[in-house]
Amino acid sequence: MIKRNKNEEDILISTENNEISMLAEIQAEEDDISAMEFDKEMPVMTLRNMVMFPSVIMPITIGRPSTLKLVNAAYKRRRPVAVVCQIQGDMDDPGYNNLYHTGVVGKVLRIFELPGGNTTVIMQSNGPKIHLDSITKVSPYLKGMVTPISEKENQENTDEFKALVETCKDLTAKYIETSERMSPDTIFAIKNLDNVGILVNFICSNFPFPVEEKIQLLEANDLQSRLYLLVKILNREVQLANIKQTIQMRTREDIDRQQREYFLQQQIKNIQDELGNGQEDEIDALRKKAMYKNWSADMRKLFEKEVTKLERTNSQSPDFNVQLTYLQTLLALPWEQYTTDNLNIKNAEKTLNKDHYGLEKVKERILEHLAVLKLKGDMKSPIICLYGPPGVGKTSLGRSIATALKRKYVRMSLGGVHDEAEIRGHRKTYIGAMPGRIIKSLIKAGYSNPVIILDEIDKLGNDHRGDPGSAMLEVLDPEQNNTFHDNYLDVDYDLSKVMFIATANSLNTIPSALLDRMELIEVSGYITEEKVEIARRHLIPKELAANGIKKEYVKFSKQALEYIIENYTRESGVRELEKKINKVLRKIALEFAKDGYELMHEIKPEDVRNYLGAPEYSRDKYQGNEYAGVVTGLAWTAVGGEILFVETSLSKGKGGKLTLTGNLGDVMKESAMLALEYLKAHTQLLNLKEDIFENWNIHIHVPEGAIPKDGPSAGITMVTSLASALTQRKVRANLAMTGEITLRGKVLPVGGIKEKILAAKRAGIKDIILCEENRKNIEEIQPMYLTGLTFHYVSDIKEVLALALTDEKVNGAIDFNLSNRTTEEKK
């Protein structure tokens, strides 16, 4: 048995001048096959990876025993054979369906026995093209029925034909010059071939074109058609060769042994960029990743449809990258991937208490959710909105919740977002399209049930690009978000397992439809005692580590922390307190760096003043009741509660003019007018003279005029201030009040009660007047915050005046009876 190589029948072409001369000499010596008698049944010689054309002499290496028997028999009998090409070059025993059916009639001219046991045959094809109709015999070699194919005659004298021949010669020369597989001497052989048919068939047979294209050339019915197709192929090959040269020039540089590997990799990359050969690998990688995705049948069908669309797209087209990015986004999403919740209630409670002091309502709500989840096994996650002043721990609370549940944590800041596409994403047909922030957050988390913090949801904006607040309606609706539709994905995604926790400083700017979808939990400000405890547990250890100081070297006394809180911060939260502690520790770090460590450095109030300078704030203190018309009210601000003084003074004048100062808002001005009109309508309530309002001008002022003030909660305070000024009676000592009034004298409830109560306690107030409907707010406050305070609940302004005004006149009280007499009467 003869040993065969993989490419045993690849064409062995040498274009050296002496070899070409040898083939011409053999051709001159042999008979013309076309003169032979044509048999319809003849031996069939199959070739691997090569196609034989008419009028061509070719050397062929024989490896198969059956083919060797065929050529020996044909050579001895000097009989022609049918030469065809097999479709798959690695097949040893091809059948009829494994062969191209167009071939030529050839004759064996010489047989050479080469060293190593191989045999080379010189074949000549001068007969007609044939069509292989069938295989009639397979042993000892193939035989088949063939039919000759006649070609049309060509008009070789036309200008078009001549131009085609010249173009073919030029492109052939360029191809040989740029090809690494062809010898430059081949150009000499081409120029010496005067017969156009032999020239064309020589190029088609001997140049390394793909087998499929050679078959197309062989099947052309006339020489001119073959020329057109050959010129097209040559033109393409020349262009590819030029691109390759360009790539080589681009990557050419002086290299040594260490740079060789880099050079080869870079060249491969540039070739792939030019030809796009990495497209199939990229698509295969996408399909492989998709196999591991937990998708529904519809989703898999959609993905396969989009991948097929990618396959049809040219890799150099901009649409290719758009489609590829879309598919990568689909694969990056955590479809039906969930973390396992930690349903240990005690552990969750311990984690929440460790990270945050206070905030009992929030912790209770999270523990309730865990309890239901533990009993039921599955449920829709709640949509919680934590609202309160800055710095009270709303955002950091979300991280603690994620830790307690053992879920992934993602924070999404919504402050300043004013484009709807930020939430829902852009259509993928737009340039630079991308998914919305919700989908991006899920990709970042890697699971479909993270805790997502929607930070500053009250600061969502809107403009001509849409209203992101409206886009959030679907996200934050437990009945809708299981089919959330992102414009970029264009498929529904289940958000029902995501725990959304929104944070806001104020509810006034949040649309009512959005508020309705969330469970509101107020996170109010901290009192001084709570801030001291938070500083001791969390802030001081954090800032000690941030400043590189060991905890055994520095200790803050409780009095020092209270001194910082009362004199250097003015906030509901603890953010400013953290900054002040950091500043103190920086000063201490400087001392340690200069003088070395001490065993213990205890911070006392007098040390705080040295480190932080003069106090920045002075808390409003109760100022007594020695002046008529001065009443203490309670106000809510963004940084907590404050006490508010309302002052009323009278001056002689006709017309009863009312003046309001103190940078008051419209609602507060209306409260002042309401208070005055009520007293005008009820003069008998305070035994006022009816002409008092005509002879005295009234001036109401609220101190700290640079600070804007507004709201209805100072209504009863203004009535009391006016009543005190008009009667010159003292106001009850250590009393403060808050409530809205109506023209009928009804007292209405107001908000911010806890902050106002804390402010009153800090100012030394003992008694507080509130609306009866605010009793429920007091009952929700922990008793420790109410110690030392007495609450008086009222429903009518008459009750307020009865509680607030004493029967004692102030020193230097105005005598309205005397002031109304004439000069003669006074004498």
Side-chain angles (χ1 to χ4, degrees):
M1 178 140 185
I2 299 175
K3 184 178 179 181
R4 297 191 294 269
N5 298 320
K6 181 181 178 183
N7 298 319
E8 61 189 358
E9 293 183 7
D10 284 352
I11 183 170
L12 301 176
I13 300 174
S14 175
T15 55
E16 298 293 341
N17 290 336
N18 56 349
E19 294 184 8
I20 294 173
S21 300
M22 180 191 76
L23 294 177
E25 181 182 349
I26 293 172
Q27 182 179 8
E29 292 176 355
E30 300 302 327
D31 298 329
D32 189 346
I33 297 176
S34 62
M36 295 178 146
E37 182 180 353
F38 186 86
D39 293 329
K40 287 191 174 182
E41 185 181 34
M42 61 175 61
V44 178
M45 181 178 181
T46 61
L47 304 180
R48 300 179 194 258
N49 304 321
M50 63 183 295
V51 179
M52 194 169 187
F53 284 77
S55 307
V56 171
I57 297 174
M58 295 178 61
I60 301 171
T61 300
I62 303 300
R64 284 181 285 213
S66 59
T67 307
L68 188 59
K69 291 177 183 179
L70 184 150
V71 296
N72 285 329
Y75 183 68
K76 287 178 182 179
R77 299 173 188 173
R78 303 183 68 80
R79 299 304 296 168
V81 297
V83 183
V84 295
C85 178
Q86 60 190 62
I87 296 175
Q88 295 181 352
D90 57 352
M91 184 171 288
D92 289 337
D93 298 310
Y96 179 76
N97 293 328
N98 306 119
L99 301 173
Y100 291 107
H101 299 154
T102 302
V104 296
V105 176
K107 179 182 178 182
V108 180
L109 299 182
R110 294 281 192 276
I111 299 177
F112 299 103
E113 296 289 341
L114 299 178
N118 292 328
T119 301
T120 297
V121 176
I122 305 299
M123 292 291 297
Q124 179 187 18
S125 169
N126 274 348
K129 291 194 302 180
I130 55 98
H131 180 272
L132 180 62
D133 299 325
S134 62
I135 297 297
T136 59
K137 191 175 181 181
V138 295
S139 180
Y141 45 79
L142 293 178
K143 277 190 177 184
M145 298 298 293
V146 298
T147 302
I149 301 173
S150 59
E151 292 191 355
K152 296 179 182 179
E153 293 185 2
N154 294 285
Q155 300 295 327
E156 298 187 7
N157 294 326
T158 62
D159 292 339
E160 181 183 2
F161 189 86
K162 293 177 181 178
L164 269 175
V165 174
E166 291 301 320
T167 303
C168 181
K169 288 183 178 180
D170 292 341
L171 287 173
T172 302
K174 290 180 181 178
Y175 177 74
I176 294 171
E177 289 175 358
T178 57
S179 176
E180 297 177 354
R181 303 172 64 180
M182 301 295 295
S183 171
D185 293 332
T186 310
I187 299 175
F188 176 77
I190 297 297
K191 290 181 178 178
N192 289 333
L193 291 173
D194 297 327
N195 188 303
V196 177
I198 295 176
L199 170 67
V200 173
N201 290 333
F202 177 81
I203 296 172
C204 293
S205 179
N206 293 303
F207 279 40
F209 303 146
V211 171
E212 294 81 2
E213 293 182 348
K214 288 190 176 186
I215 291 296
Q216 293 177 11
L217 289 165
L218 182 61
E219 290 175 346
N221 289 331
D222 57 84
L223 187 59
Q224 184 166 326
S225 298
R226 190 173 298 157
L227 260 172
Y228 267 114
L229 187 54
L230 179 59
V231 166
K232 180 181 178 182
I233 294 172
L234 285 170
N235 192 35
R236 183 199 66 201
E237 295 295 329
V238 169
Q239 288 182 2
L240 290 176
N242 288 336
I243 292 173
K244 184 177 180 181
Q245 283 187 340
T246 303
I247 294 170
Q248 289 175 340
M249 290 295 295
R250 192 182 302 163
T251 58
R252 183 176 297 164
E253 59 181 336
D254 294 329
I255 60 174
D256 51 21
R257 291 181 181 178
Q258 289 77 16
Q259 293 175 311
R260 179 174 176 79
E261 183 177 352
Y262 169 79
F263 170 79
L264 293 174
Q265 293 293 337
Q266 190 68 20
Q267 192 175 35
I268 290 172
K269 179 179 179 298
N270 287 330
I271 290 171
Q272 289 177 342
D273 290 343
E274 292 289 344
L275 303 180
N277 291 336
Q279 181 175 349
E280 293 183 3
D281 294 339
E282 191 79 40
I283 292 172
D284 289 341
L286 292 175
R287 283 199 171 102
K288 188 175 181 181
K289 289 180 181 178
M291 291 172 59
Y292 301 99
K293 285 294 175 182
N294 189 16
W295 280 337
S296 64
D298 291 340
M299 188 62 203
R300 288 195 180 278
K301 185 177 179 181
L302 172 68
F303 180 81
E304 186 58 35
K305 177 183 175 183
E306 296 295 333
V307 171
T308 305
K309 189 185 297 183
L310 181 68
E311 286 179 318
R312 295 197 301 264
T313 306
N314 188 336
S315 62
Q316 301 302 314
S317 168
D319 292 336
F320 181 84
N321 283 332
V322 172
Q323 187 70 6
L324 179 61
T325 304
Y326 172 69
L327 291 171
Q328 288 173 339
T329 302
L330 287 179
L331 290 171
L333 274 168
W335 302 86
E336 300 295 329
Q337 289 181 261
Y338 304 106
T339 54
T340 303
D341 287 336
N342 179 17
L343 301 180
N344 188 327
I345 306 297
K346 292 184 178 179
N347 180 69
E349 185 175 13
K350 182 179 179 182
T351 301
L352 292 173
N353 289 333
K354 177 184 176 183
D355 293 345
H356 289 82
Y357 182 80
L359 307 179
E360 302 303 328
K361 283 187 180 180
V362 189
K363 294 175 183 177
E364 183 181 1
R365 180 63 186 89
I366 299 305
L367 295 176
E368 288 171 359
H369 171 70
L370 281 177
V372 175
L373 195 62
K374 184 174 183 178
L375 297 176
K376 186 172 181 289
D378 185 25
M379 67 176 292
K380 293 180 180 178
S381 292
I383 312 294
I384 296 173
C385 179
L386 307 176
Y387 70 96
V392 294
K394 300 184 297 295
T395 304
S396 62
L397 188 62
R399 188 185 298 275
S400 297
I401 293 171
T403 303
L405 293 172
K406 289 193 175 178
R407 289 191 182 187
K408 295 294 181 180
Y409 166 84
V410 181
R411 177 182 167 273
M412 196 170 84
S413 178
L414 298 178
V417 173
H418 49 74
D419 188 354
E420 180 188 349
E422 290 280 339
I423 307 300
R424 288 187 179 275
H426 305 79
R427 297 283 181 188
K428 65 178 178 179
T429 52
Y430 290 106
I431 295 174
M434 62 181 68
R437 291 194 178 197
I438 301 294
I439 296 299
K440 284 183 181 177
S441 297
L442 290 171
I443 293 174
K444 181 179 178 182
Y447 291 94
S448 291
N449 63 336
V451 174
I452 296 182
I453 302 299
L454 303 174
D455 216 4
E456 310 291 357
I457 197 171
D458 57 323
K459 295 175 180 61
L460 279 173
N462 62 78
D463 58 13
H464 63 280
R465 284 168 286 190
D467 181 7
S470 299
M472 291 297 294
L473 295 177
E474 182 184 9
V475 177
L476 299 182
D477 191 341
E479 300 300 323
Q480 298 181 34
N481 64 9
N482 60 335
T483 56
F484 173 68
H485 190 85
D486 185 274
N487 291 330
Y488 182 79
L489 292 184
D490 205 23
V491 292
D492 291 339
Y493 196 91
D494 185 4
L495 298 180
S496 62
K497 301 295 190 298
V498 178
M499 179 179 282
F500 290 102
I501 299 178
T503 70
N505 296 129
S506 172
L507 301 180
N508 298 331
T509 57
I510 303 177
S512 57
L514 195 56
L515 274 178
D516 184 59
R517 285 162 165 79
M518 299 186 292
E519 183 175 345
L520 303 178
I521 299 178
E522 183 179 7
V523 184
S524 55
Y526 301 110
I527 63 171
T528 301
E529 290 78 4
E530 288 179 319
K531 290 182 180 181
V532 169
E533 194 64 26
I534 292 170
R536 187 182 63 81
R537 294 188 183 189
H538 303 290
L539 303 184
I540 294 174
K542 176 183 175 183
E543 295 305 322
L544 283 171
N547 289 281
I549 302 174
K550 295 180 181 180
K551 61 181 181 180
E552 56 266 21
Y553 288 109
V554 176
K555 180 181 179 182
F556 281 82
S557 66
K558 182 179 179 181
Q559 294 77 12
L561 289 173
E562 289 177 350
Y563 190 77
I564 295 174
I565 293 166
E566 295 291 339
N567 297 282
Y568 295 92
T569 66
R570 195 169 193 173
E571 58 177 349
S572 294
V574 292
R575 194 168 286 151
E576 190 69 23
L577 174 60
E578 183 178 4
K579 294 177 183 177
K580 297 304 180 185
I581 292 173
N582 181 274
K583 185 175 181 180
V584 171
L585 292 177
R586 289 201 311 269
K587 301 283 188 184
I588 295 173
L590 179 60
E591 292 178 2
F592 285 168
K594 286 182 178 179
D595 306 327
Y597 289 96
E598 299 178 9
L599 291 179
M600 173 58 72
H601 197 102
E602 184 175 6
I603 310 298
K604 296 180 180 179
E606 52 269 24
D607 299 318
V608 172
R609 188 179 181 92
N610 294 332
Y611 290 129
L612 298 181
E616 299 176 15
Y617 304 105
S618 58
R619 289 290 180 184
D620 292 326
K621 300 295 182 183
Y622 176 69
Q623 297 179 358
N625 62 344
E626 299 302 320
Y627 299 92
V630 179
V631 182
T632 305
L634 299 174
W636 179 91
T637 69
V639 295
E642 296 287 344
I643 65 170
L644 192 73
F645 297 104
V646 177
E647 303 174 347
T648 300
S649 68
L650 303 176
S651 60
K652 198 81 169 85
K654 291 292 183 181
K657 181 181 177 182
L658 175 63
T659 303
L660 302 173
T661 56
N663 203 351
L664 308 184
D666 292 338
V667 177
M668 208 164 182
K669 290 177 180 177
E670 290 171 359
S671 295
M673 289 186 283
L674 273 173
L676 180 60
E677 291 302 321
Y678 178 82
L679 291 178
K680 284 182 178 180
H682 298 82
T683 54
Q684 74 282 359
L685 184 65
L686 299 173
N687 297 320
L688 299 176
K689 291 185 176 294
E690 294 186 358
D691 62 347
I692 191 171
F693 297 103
E694 298 177 2
N695 299 315
W696 292 86
N697 293 327
I698 300 174
H699 186 162
I700 299 177
H701 176 69
V702 182
E704 297 186 68
I707 301 174
K709 309 169 192 70
D710 202 4
S713 62
I716 63 173
T717 312
M718 288 183 169
V719 173
T720 308
S721 177
L722 283 169
S724 174
L726 292 170
T727 60
Q728 295 294 293
R729 290 160 62 183
K730 285 186 177 182
V731 177
R732 186 173 179 173
N734 299 312
L735 175 72
M737 61 188 71
T738 181
E740 183 181 353
I741 61 166
T742 69
L743 199 56
R744 296 176 296 159
K746 297 295 182 183
V747 180
L748 302 181
V750 292
I753 295 300
K754 181 179 179 181
E755 287 80 2
K756 293 176 179 179
I757 297 305
L758 299 181
K761 191 172 182 181
R762 286 195 301 266
I765 300 295
K766 304 295 183 184
D767 294 276
I768 297 177
I769 297 177
L770 295 170
C771 173
E772 177 65 37
E773 293 184 33
N774 282 126
R775 186 190 293 269
K776 61 180 183 295
N777 302 107
I778 300 299
E779 292 173 351
E780 292 177 356
I781 300 175
Q782 296 184 31
M784 61 179 289
Y785 302 149
L786 307 179
T787 305
L789 296 176
T790 302
F791 296 95
H792 305 275
Y793 301 103
V794 298
S795 300
D796 192 276
I797 192 65
K798 296 175 185 177
E799 300 175 51
V800 176
L801 296 177
L803 287 167
L805 297 180
T806 66
D807 294 331
E808 183 182 356
K809 296 280 186 176
V810 297
N811 294 330
I814 300 173
D815 188 348
F816 294 105
N817 293 321
L818 181 62
S819 61
N820 288 331
R821 295 176 186 172
T822 62
T823 306
E824 293 296 326
E825 291 174 333
K826 290 178 182 179
K827 291 180 179 178

